[in-house]
Amino acid sequence: MTAAALMVHDPGPSDPSSVRVLRPRRAAPSDAVRPTRAEVNLGHLRHNLRVIERALQRSQGASANVWAVLKADAYGHGAPAVARTLERAGVAGLCVALLEEGVELRAAGITAPILVMSGYYGLRRDGYEALLENDLVPVVHDAAQIERLAAFAASDEGRLAVHLKVDTGMGRLGAPPSELDAVFDVLAASPSIRVDGLMTHFACADSPDLGVTRAQLRRFFAIEERARAMGHAPSVRHAANSAAMLRLPEARLDVVRPGIALFGVAPMEGSREDMGLDAELRPVMRVRTEIMALRPIAAGERIGYGHTWEASRPSVIATVPMGYADGLSRALSNRGHALVRGKRAPIAGTVSMDLTMLDVTDIQGARAGDEVVFLGSQEGPLGRGSIGATEIAELTGTIPWEVLTSVSRRVPRFYREP
Ligand SMILES: *Cc1c(COP(=O)(O)O)cnc(C)c1O
């Protein structure tokens, strides 16, 4: 589910403590009537974890642990199934953005450590209690927030383990340099809070020049030194997203936080050779549907909303049941492709909400019921092709992260073991 679709209920009097999570009903495979679906290859997911772990072992000294980033419903792949697969494959921990996402994983029976990265637990006690009840590790980044959590923990005579996030140059979340004194002061006055982890996040780990990332890492080490001088002993230091993990071994620290790489997508353009190991990554998601109707079109005829496509020759148009409400970007109108019988067919006309047309004039033998692949690879009588999230992102002016998280909840996820 998407973050925006999650809502926290106001707990009623009969349920004083727990954060309840309202889940939008996601299309389930058993409800699927339409042939449009996202296939999630769990074997590829495990493979990508092994590729990453092997790369980490090649680095000097003790190798970093992997805490997989499963925010936004595991980048659209379905967080419970992805978490279960990674947990069985031995992943050390998981990271989510929202408290609600952490609660969802616990409800699904996940027992691995879970870090809640967004730092938002609400202003009331129920957020704190949801952390405790679900054994979730909160990220803290702000003096007032630490004070609030410390007061809740103190009234319980408990001790809350947290990860402290510091801003070393991203300028988004994390205690900024100007606030560090205040944060350390509050921590010194809060024996109910224990800083188990220290973390930061890189702004430019996927850009060709790693200078900014190296500077952020130096700042991080300076802050770590300060924290230790103040008597804190964070045993879990982490900074690296997929790009930093792949490209900058000294940023791996104790734990790495890969997201996109686990789902088989290289975190930067043209980086497959650049980074060596990510050439081995395998895309986990494949989005497919089927041709539902075919029609001949005479030269000069136009199709679709706005009549933006005109047949330059006698053509065959296939209509497929997938549109922008399923996550197929409207920016692919007259630009994108799909695979049919192993060959690329151009999108013809504007992508509409539920339907899209393809020019299959050059797809010999195309018939209703033929498989159509918008994301992923296909083998057929006419060849073998593949369309990656990066290619779609380049066509639509975005990044592969957005392509994956855009596949909407109307598209059922089918889990495959190869
Ligand atoms: C999303 C996110 C990650 C993972 O990033 P990828 O580029 O997908 O590997 C790591 N850390 C934080 C704080 C994040 O928000």
Side-chain angles (χ1 to χ4, degrees):
M1 76 204 72
T2 62
L6 281 159
M7 288 182 287
V8 180
H9 264 325
D10 190 13
S14 60
D15 183 15
S17 62
S18 68
V19 168
R20 287 200 291 145
V21 179
L22 195 70
R23 294 192 191 95
R25 223 172 67 82
R26 129 96 46 85
S30 55
D31 308 329
V33 173
R34 188 176 71 137
T36 305
R37 51 172 89 148
E39 295 169 350
V40 177
N41 188 318
L42 299 173
H44 285 185
L45 180 69
R46 276 194 298 273
H47 166 88
N48 294 337
L49 177 64
R50 279 196 299 271
V51 166
I52 288 168
E53 285 174 341
R54 238 183 290 127
L56 295 174
Q57 278 156 16
R58 281 202 293 267
S59 59
Q60 304 284 318
S63 73
N65 283 318
V66 176
W67 283 35
V69 177
L70 304 190
K71 59 194 180 190
D73 204 23
Y75 291 40
H77 294 68
V82 166
R84 214 170 288 126
T85 301
L86 292 174
E87 185 169 71
R88 286 187 190 141
V91 81
L94 305 171
C95 304
V96 293
L98 310 186
L99 176 58
E100 301 91 302
E101 292 172 340
V103 171
E104 183 190 24
L105 291 183
R106 287 291 181 244
I110 301 301
T111 60
I114 299 177
L115 182 71
V116 181
M117 298 193 298
S118 71
Y120 194 76
Y121 316 108
L123 300 178
R124 296 176 320 183
R125 192 184 166 85
D126 59 346
Y128 160 76
E129 285 176 354
L131 287 170
L132 283 198
E133 276 164 22
N134 293 282
D135 195 16
L136 305 172
V137 181
V139 167
V140 297
H141 56 89
D142 169 88
Q145 170 204 38
I146 295 169
E147 235 167 3
R148 196 160 51 238
L149 287 174
F152 292 140
S155 70
D156 266 3
E157 291 171 30
R159 236 172 155 213
L160 184 65
V162 302
H163 287 203
L164 173 62
K165 185 168 188 180
V166 295
D167 181 11
T168 54
M170 174 77 173
R172 188 179 69 173
L173 198 69
S178 60
E179 297 291 319
L180 272 177
D181 282 339
V183 164
F184 282 126
D185 284 350
V186 168
L187 284 171
S190 306
S192 59
I193 300 282
R194 190 181 70 220
V195 179
D196 273 4
L198 188 66
M199 69 182 287
T200 194
H201 191 48
F202 295 127
C204 304
D206 56 355
S207 57
D209 179 4
L210 283 169
V212 171
T213 309
R214 291 201 169 90
Q216 282 196 259
L217 194 58
R218 281 194 298 276
R219 272 176 231 135
F220 182 75
F221 287 135
I223 296 168
E224 182 195 353
E225 217 165 278
R226 233 175 112 186
R228 292 195 189 282
M230 302 283 300
H232 301 289
S235 56
V236 192
R237 299 161 308 152
H238 47 108
N241 57 3
S242 297
M245 171 190 80
L246 294 171
R247 304 175 69 214
L248 195 65
E250 61 264 42
R252 291 172 182 166
L253 308 178
D254 304 310
V255 156
V256 291
R257 302 191 306 263
I260 197 84
L262 276 167
F263 300 107
V265 178
M268 77 186 279
E269 282 168 47
S271 58
R272 298 194 88 79
E273 307 77 41
D274 204 71
M275 295 185 201
L277 80 107
D278 69 334
E280 301 171 48
L281 298 173
R282 296 180 187 158
V284 174
M285 194 192 291
R286 183 172 183 272
V287 178
R288 57 87 76 195
T289 183
E290 291 171 10
I291 294 178
M292 64 187 294
L294 282 165
R295 76 201 61 233
I297 298 276
E301 272 191 80
R302 292 170 162 268
I303 62 168
Y305 283 126
H307 271 183
T308 62
W309 188 89
E310 181 181 332
S312 58
R313 56 177 174 164
S315 303
V316 183
I317 295 298
T319 300
V320 300
M322 177 156 184
Y324 60 78
D326 299 300
L328 185 68
S329 172
R330 196 168 170 280
L332 291 168
S333 302
N334 292 313
R335 304 188 72 189
H337 289 85
L339 298 163
V340 182
R341 296 171 69 77
K343 192 175 170 185
R344 278 172 181 252
I347 291 176
T350 48
V351 173
S352 46
M353 190 184 289
D354 317 300
L355 299 167
T356 297
M357 282 86 80
L358 303 174
D359 177 4
V360 294
T361 314
D362 295 328
I363 309 293
Q364 293 87 21
R367 281 185 276 120
D370 279 351
E371 185 191 65
V372 174
V373 171
F374 282 107
L375 175 69
S377 56
Q378 187 194 52
E379 235 181 289
L382 303 181
R384 184 175 189 290
S386 165
I387 296 173
T390 303
E391 174 186 335
I392 295 171
E394 279 166 8
L395 283 174
T396 56
T398 183
I399 53 175
W401 290 258
E402 190 177 358
V403 172
L404 294 179
T405 55
S406 294
V407 177
S408 79
R409 70 191 171 93
R410 200 166 77 165
V411 179
R413 272 62 169 173
F414 280 65
Y415 295 95
R416 288 168 48 124
E417 292 287 349

